[in-house]
Amino acid sequence: MHHMHIFKPAAVAAAIGLSATTLTAQEVTLRFQHFVSPASANPTYFMQPWADAIEEQSEGRIKVELYPFMQLGGSAPNQYDLIRDGAIDGGWVIPGYQPNRFPEAEAMELPFMTTKSGEEASAAAWQFTQEYLMDDFADVHVIAAHMHGPGIVHKRGEAIETVEDFAGLKLRGPSRPATLLLEELGATPIGMPVPAFPEALSKGVVDGGVITWEMSPSLKLNELTDSHTDVAGDRALYNLYFIWAMNKDVYEGMPDDLRAIIDANSGMMASQWAGRAHDTGDVIGRDVMAADGNEIAELSEEETARIMALGAEVTSNWITEMDAKGFDGAALVRSAQTAVAENLLD
């Protein structure tokens, strides 16, 4: 039997009683990787249901295996390259974890750009991606582009009440737009991917940071921080842009009927689905923080207006910077704003 590999597949099939069609209906296993707890919102309410839907719709011919915590290797910031190079079949990418590599994507992440609905923000993100980013991501196959729910300020000690309270705080930020805003607020921003945040908090490297409600329980922010502060109004302090993508060759190498099943679970519907997952998790995460006796706070409308004015400075500076890089910064901001305005839920 160890000489089997020298025979033609058809002859092997005949020898073991399979028809050639059985061989073409091959099983496809896709290994997708992410960098957070499987108990957090996106894996629970988007990734796993998405994987299940694909398995069911393909009648088991496609299996999607999800690997949390970067179990297949590499680090969260180099996830895009792991997908591009075929080290993994697909996964979750935060382009902003590699500052300046995908600069146009930052438009969606500017202060107060999105509403506090992850689903609305994600529909806008997909629209903006179609308009500006498909060439940036040309060497992977983009399945969805989405945002999370509102970013919240989590810190040790009392909640933030005024802009002045940011002074001197060392706060973790996920992306360049978020750290630019924290800097404008007078904080000392420290950019780091989410897996590094709990340790930085427990070692006192940071006083707090910005992240969603939904990530709070899996990062043990109920234990590592004391207060959680949101801005007033219906706009998010900041947001973060993600893509769910797969290796181009793997995608293009699938039989047409199986590729069609991936396609049926892609695009606007998948982007909104991913955003909705964060909204679901945000409600739960906020409740967990409150149940543990942590302070849940909202800034006044007056202080929120002051922060919005500082956010507008960040946006203005970003436009200037983008223009210097040869992009049309104002057009990018307008397109992001338009995408948000055109994708509000009823």
Side-chain angles (χ1 to χ4, degrees):
M1 287 301 284
H2 61 282
H3 294 302
M4 202 66 162
H5 66 275
I6 63 171
F7 298 141
K8 292 197 167 80
V12 174
I16 57 178
L18 288 176
S19 69
T21 54
T22 319
L23 279 185
T24 56
Q26 81 269 35
E27 311 290 311
V28 175
T29 300
L30 301 174
R31 303 188 317 158
F32 274 65
Q33 172 166 266
H34 64 84
F35 34 82
V36 295
S37 163
S40 60
N42 194 298
T44 302
Y45 305 110
F46 170 65
M47 295 179 194
Q48 194 58 58
W50 182 87
D52 293 344
I54 283 165
E55 195 163 337
E56 192 180 317
Q57 290 164 30
S58 68
E59 294 173 341
R61 289 172 58 210
I62 306 172
K63 174 148 183 58
V64 180
E65 294 176 352
L66 299 175
Y67 293 85
F69 298 125
M70 301 300 287
Q71 284 169 346
L72 297 175
S75 66
N78 71 354
Q79 186 87 288
Y80 182 89
D81 295 314
L82 296 172
I83 297 169
R84 182 196 63 192
D85 300 341
I88 55 179
D89 298 314
W92 204 30
V93 179
I94 294 176
Y97 277 179
Q98 293 186 318
N100 304 315
R101 182 169 180 185
F102 304 107
E104 289 167 293
E106 293 180 341
M108 289 301 309
E109 300 176 326
L110 290 165
F112 301 96
M113 178 60 76
T114 66
T115 69
K116 289 182 178 179
S117 158
E119 184 174 357
E120 290 179 345
S122 297
W126 180 254
Q127 181 172 317
F128 183 84
T129 300
Q130 293 305 289
E131 198 175 344
Y132 281 106
L133 299 170
M134 293 313 269
D135 56 340
D136 292 55
F137 304 135
D139 44 18
V140 298
H141 175 72
V142 179
I143 297 165
H146 73 92
M147 313 289 286
H148 57 44
I152 309 294
V153 182
H154 312 264
K155 66 180 278 284
R156 284 204 296 270
E158 292 180 356
I160 281 173
E161 287 183 10
T162 66
V163 170
E164 285 72 22
D165 291 344
F166 282 97
L169 286 180
K170 293 197 291 289
L171 298 176
R172 172 265 174 184
S175 65
R176 217 174 62 91
T179 56
L180 290 171
L181 176 60
L182 290 173
E183 200 163 34
E184 192 74 34
L185 289 166
T188 301
I190 300 177
M192 64 177 75
V194 65
F197 187 28
E199 192 184 355
L201 266 171
S202 62
K203 288 189 167 168
V205 173
V206 293
D207 302 306
V210 293
I211 204 162
T212 51
W213 286 117
E214 64 91 355
M215 282 304 303
S216 302
S218 65
L219 297 176
K220 299 195 163 48
L221 296 190
N222 45 331
E223 297 165 23
L224 294 169
T225 66
D226 305 298
S227 64
H228 315 271
T229 309
D230 195 4
V231 290
D234 63 354
R235 290 277 165 156
L237 174 66
Y238 80 94
N239 208 321
L240 192 58
Y241 174 89
F242 304 76
I243 58 172
W244 182 239
M246 66 183 284
N247 176 273
K248 218 175 173 67
D249 292 340
V250 170
Y251 170 77
E252 287 170 358
M254 290 171 79
D256 290 354
D257 59 332
L258 295 187
R259 205 166 51 233
I261 290 162
I262 300 288
D263 294 346
N265 293 280
S266 295
M268 182 58 88
M269 82 66 105
S271 302
Q272 289 171 306
W273 187 358
R276 208 158 48 239
H278 289 270
D279 292 334
T280 302
D282 278 345
V283 175
I284 297 163
R286 187 180 193 276
D287 288 348
V288 171
M289 297 302 107
D292 236 18
N294 281 18
E295 187 183 358
I296 310 289
E298 190 176 278
L299 287 160
S300 69
E301 286 181 20
E302 293 74 23
E303 290 303 313
T304 299
R306 292 178 69 201
I307 294 174
M308 288 184 91
L310 293 169
E313 285 293 308
V314 170
T315 298
S316 169
N317 293 339
W318 185 84
I319 289 171
T320 303
E321 193 187 344
M322 289 300 280
D323 289 348
K325 289 179 180 176
F327 296 99
D328 185 341
L332 286 162
V333 169
R334 273 197 309 276
S335 294
Q337 288 168 337
T338 299
V340 170
E342 288 179 356
N343 286 286
L344 303 177
L345 298 163
D346 296 333

